[in-house]
């Protein structure tokens, strides 16, 4: 049954696909006693009596997972944060979760482009300028029914550094959004604008490639994030702030001592403060994804990172998996389709499906295997209807002649403009 008409409270609705019905059932809007029009018998029959619909009412893991705001960050630019955010959103939606993907890269918003939405009707700009009051008001539909998008502020370079009050307004509303999962795609770097969103999320996801510079940047990002938590906790306690300053050198990112030593130093001064730090360490457990892995030997870089984070920062990092370097990821960007559905059978897509089920959702072996299969099956279905945008027809090539060149962080002359909605005005 692919097109299903139903009668709920005596009202005819539809047609729905089985997945749409599953969504309705998960929300409690469709039950086994509601009627379904059965094509074979041409009769209205109770949904629970139709074998093909049993899957619709199978127990939902959806409700078992508490609402989670994930922030995808990591310091180094170009490591795949946006590509992963888009495909994570698609993968989670394929498991029937309600997902909102948010572009929080205010300096170089491009999540919408990555998802094939070239000209978003609303963006963070409308929220920032109060033209729209709530995040809900700027939420956009995507080609996937249960995946929504909040687009970054396109072509508004001044918004790269939102004011404190605007950040607070954003963070508050973020946690009020109605969804199972909210994915924040962060910009590069370890500036407080990025870090504050990372630590405001329920769960941080660090993305890095195995190359030493990216690993170092990610480690620094993690350190800055944790110190930011401490500095905010003790903002009214100068004595503790002094001890933090003394122990953790900020020059060139080098540390004078480990977090353990720092806690020891603080404990001598103030036991209660040390307890608070332990509390933060218990709650702050970022996930780690290694992206663009070229060779098997590189996979262990994730474990090395985890060990270093534990030894030096006393932070438990959960290394949830890796994604291979895969040309199909780059190619999907050209077609403006998230890679997991552009090529569901690619190495990268299979790894991501496994990472979602086992790493992110913590499904154990058999359940993990089943959920991975479900991601792959459903993204393959979504793939057929997800629009492909032919870049060649509307290509804007990056050039020094572009009005925005001096302010643009991409400056990728000769290649398609990654912030295409800027509609560059070309200088003569
Ligand atoms: N696993 C992969 N294999 C091959 N290419 C990849 C992979 N992951 C990402 N890429 C490519 O790397 C480039 C950068 O990706 P992306 O824009 O997602 O990075 P980012 O971390 O969001 O960058 P920024 O810091 O600028 O926001 C893109 O061309 C993307 O297609
Ligand atoms: Mg990005």
């Amino acid at each position: 049954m692919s097109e299903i008409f139903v009668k709920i409270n005596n009202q005819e609705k539809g047609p729905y696909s089985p997945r749409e019905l599953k969504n309705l059932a998960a929300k409690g809007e469709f039950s086994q006693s509601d009627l379904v029009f059965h094509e074979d018998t041409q009769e209205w029959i109770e949904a629970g009596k139709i074998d093909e619909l049993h899957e619709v009412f199978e127990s939902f893991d959806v409700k078992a997972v508490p609402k989670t705001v994930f922030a995808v960050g990591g310091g180094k630019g170009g490591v795949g944060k946006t590509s992963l955010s888009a495909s994570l959103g698609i993968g989670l939606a394929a498991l029937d979760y309600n997902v909102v993907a948010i572009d929080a890269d205010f300096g170089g918003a491009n999540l919408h482009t990555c998802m094939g939405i070239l000209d978003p009707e609303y963006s963070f700009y409308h929220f920032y300028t109060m033209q729209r009051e709530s995040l809900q008001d700027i939420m956009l539909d995507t080609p996937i029914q249960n995946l929504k998008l909040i687009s970054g502020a396109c072509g508004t370079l001044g918004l790269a550094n939102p004011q404190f009050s605007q950040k607070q307004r954003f963070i508050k509303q973020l946690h009020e959004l109605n969804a199972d999962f909210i994915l924040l795609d962060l910009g590069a770097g370890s500036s407080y604008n990025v870090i504050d969103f990372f630590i405001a999320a329920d769960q941080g996801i660090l993305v890095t490639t195995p190359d030493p510079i990216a690993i170092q940047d990610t480690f620094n990002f993690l350190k800055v994030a944790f110190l930011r938590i401490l500095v905010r906790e003790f903002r009214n306690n100068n004595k503790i702030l002094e001890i933090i300053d003394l122990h953790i050198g900020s020059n060139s990112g080098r540390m004078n001592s480990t977090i353990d030593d720092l806690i020891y130093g603080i404990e001598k001064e103030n036991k209660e403060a040390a307890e608070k730090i332990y509390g933060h360490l218990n709650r702050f457990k970022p996930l780690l994804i290694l992206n663009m892995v070229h060779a098997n030997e590189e996979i262990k870089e994730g474990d090395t990172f985890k060990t270093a984070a534990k030894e030096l920062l006393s932070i438990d990092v959960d290394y949830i998996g890796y994604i291979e370097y895969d040309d199909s990821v780059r190619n999907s960007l050209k077609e403006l389709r998230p890679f997991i559905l552009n090529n569901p059978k690619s190495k990268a897509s299979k790894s991501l499906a496994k990472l979602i089920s086992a790493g992110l959702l913590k499904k154990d072996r058999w359940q993990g295997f089943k959920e991975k299969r479900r991601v792959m099956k459903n993204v393959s279905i979504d793939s057929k209807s997800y629009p492909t945008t032919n870049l060649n027809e509307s290509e804007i090539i990056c050039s020094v002649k572009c009005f925005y060149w001096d302010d643009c962080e991409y400056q990728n002359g000769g290649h398609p403009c990654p912030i295409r909605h800027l509609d560059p005005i070309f200088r003569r």
Side-chain angles (χ1 to χ4, degrees):
M1 292 179 92
S2 54
E3 301 224 305
I4 306 164
F5 288 91
V6 298
K7 222 184 247 182
I8 302 173
N9 294 334
N10 262 334
Q11 262 197 321
E12 266 185 48
K13 295 183 177 179
Y16 295 112
S17 67
R19 278 182 64 203
E20 285 169 334
L21 277 189
K22 192 160 184 158
N23 267 332
L24 287 179
K27 286 192 233 153
E29 293 170 14
F30 177 62
S31 73
Q32 306 211 23
S33 58
D34 287 320
L35 299 177
V36 170
F37 190 73
H38 200 271
E39 277 169 21
D40 293 350
T41 58
Q42 296 284 303
E43 282 178 303
W44 289 98
I45 299 181
E46 275 183 30
K49 292 186 180 154
I50 301 177
D51 288 348
E52 294 102 305
L53 291 185
H54 278 175
E55 207 183 281
V56 167
F57 301 106
E58 264 178 10
S59 67
F60 296 102
D61 291 320
V62 172
K63 296 295 161 217
V65 179
K67 173 168 137 182
T68 312
V69 178
F70 287 110
V72 182
K76 178 93 166 63
V79 293
K81 298 179 289 296
T82 303
S83 315
L84 281 178
S85 299
S87 283
L88 272 175
I90 300 276
L92 287 167
L95 288 175
D96 301 321
Y97 292 109
N98 290 312
V99 184
V100 183
I102 304 184
D103 195 337
D105 183 350
F106 300 125
N110 60 355
L111 182 62
H112 58 291
T113 317
C114 194
M115 295 174 72
I117 299 169
L118 288 184
D119 196 10
E121 192 179 355
Y122 296 111
S123 74
F124 182 72
Y125 173 80
H126 299 94
F127 178 77
Y128 184 84
T129 54
M130 303 296 281
Q131 291 178 45
R132 287 283 175 278
E133 247 175 52
S134 72
L135 287 181
Q136 194 77 36
D137 296 340
I138 58 166
M139 202 144 90
L140 306 168
D141 287 336
T142 73
I144 306 285
Q145 196 213 358
N146 50 327
L147 172 63
K148 307 288 175 200
L149 169 74
I150 293 183
S151 168
C154 316
T156 317
L157 301 159
L159 291 195
N161 294 307
Q163 287 164 1
F164 178 76
S165 58
Q166 291 287 29
K167 271 195 326 198
Q168 292 304 101
R169 179 171 157 244
F170 175 73
I171 288 170
K172 182 170 176 290
Q173 291 201 21
L174 185 65
H175 289 277
E176 290 166 0
L177 281 175
N178 188 14
D180 299 307
F181 292 113
I182 294 150
L183 294 167
L184 274 187
D185 172 30
L186 301 183
S190 305
S191 73
Y192 288 148
N193 280 329
V194 179
I195 294 283
D196 284 348
F197 293 128
F198 190 78
I199 62 182
D202 301 314
Q203 179 64 67
I205 303 178
L206 298 164
V207 178
T208 182
T209 62
D211 91 81
I213 301 205
I215 296 269
Q216 199 180 343
D217 280 359
T218 311
F219 193 82
N220 189 50
F221 181 93
L222 183 62
K223 184 188 85 175
V224 175
F226 190 63
L227 289 181
R228 179 79 166 161
I229 293 175
L230 297 191
V231 167
R232 282 167 53 161
E233 171 71 57
F234 301 113
R235 61 186 175 281
N236 297 323
N237 190 333
N238 285 338
K239 186 72 201 159
I240 302 286
L241 291 181
E242 266 171 37
I243 302 177
I244 294 177
D245 255 7
L246 195 74
H247 277 262
I248 314 288
S250 52
N251 291 346
S252 71
R254 269 179 192 281
M255 294 169 65
N256 298 334
S257 64
T258 65
I259 295 279
D260 250 5
D261 294 333
L262 168 73
I263 300 176
Y264 186 63
I266 290 178
E267 209 161 22
K268 283 194 285 186
E269 193 64 38
N270 182 335
K271 260 202 152 66
E272 211 180 294
E275 284 302 322
K276 279 192 177 153
I277 302 183
Y278 284 126
H280 282 297
L281 282 172
N282 271 333
R283 289 187 293 274
F284 186 65
K285 296 185 184 219
L287 310 176
L288 174 71
I289 298 177
L290 206 59
N291 189 25
M292 301 199 219
V293 168
H294 280 92
N296 279 349
E297 311 86 81
E298 291 180 338
I299 297 169
K300 65 179 186 319
E301 293 301 333
D303 296 309
T304 312
F305 185 95
K306 181 181 161 77
T307 308
K310 185 68 184 167
E311 281 177 2
L312 298 171
L313 303 175
S314 306
I315 294 174
D316 286 316
V317 169
D318 183 2
Y319 177 29
I320 58 167
Y322 64 91
I323 314 273
E324 293 85 350
Y325 181 92
D326 190 332
D327 281 331
S328 75
V329 177
R330 269 166 210 272
N331 294 338
S332 73
L333 201 64
K334 287 184 200 145
E335 294 182 34
L336 306 185
R337 282 159 45 109
F339 71 83
I340 196 169
L341 61 66
N342 200 43
N343 195 345
K345 295 203 170 116
S346 71
K347 271 189 298 185
S349 301
K350 286 182 188 160
S351 303
L352 184 61
K354 181 175 168 200
L355 192 148
I356 290 173
S357 57
L360 211 61
L361 301 175
K362 303 281 177 238
K363 303 290 176 195
D364 60 17
R365 288 181 186 180
W366 171 238
Q367 191 67 18
F369 177 71
K370 255 175 62 184
E371 293 294 74
K372 176 187 163 188
R373 291 278 301 272
R374 200 147 77 89
V375 174
M376 312 271 301
K377 186 176 142 209
N378 287 338
V379 291
S380 299
I381 296 168
D382 291 337
S383 173
K384 294 189 185 116
S385 56
Y386 204 97
T388 304
T389 309
N390 188 346
L391 255 186
N392 292 330
E393 280 173 11
S394 53
E395 208 158 23
I396 298 163
I397 299 295
C398 175
S399 144
V400 284
K401 290 188 175 166
C402 172
F403 178 79
Y404 298 106
W405 176 268
D406 294 333
D407 294 312
C408 183
E409 64 181 76
Y410 289 97
Q411 296 191 346
N412 199 11
H415 293 275
C417 170
I419 342 177
R420 304 160 46 76
H421 38 267
L422 275 176
D423 280 339
I425 309 156
F426 286 98
R427 301 170 183 150
R428 280 159 206 273

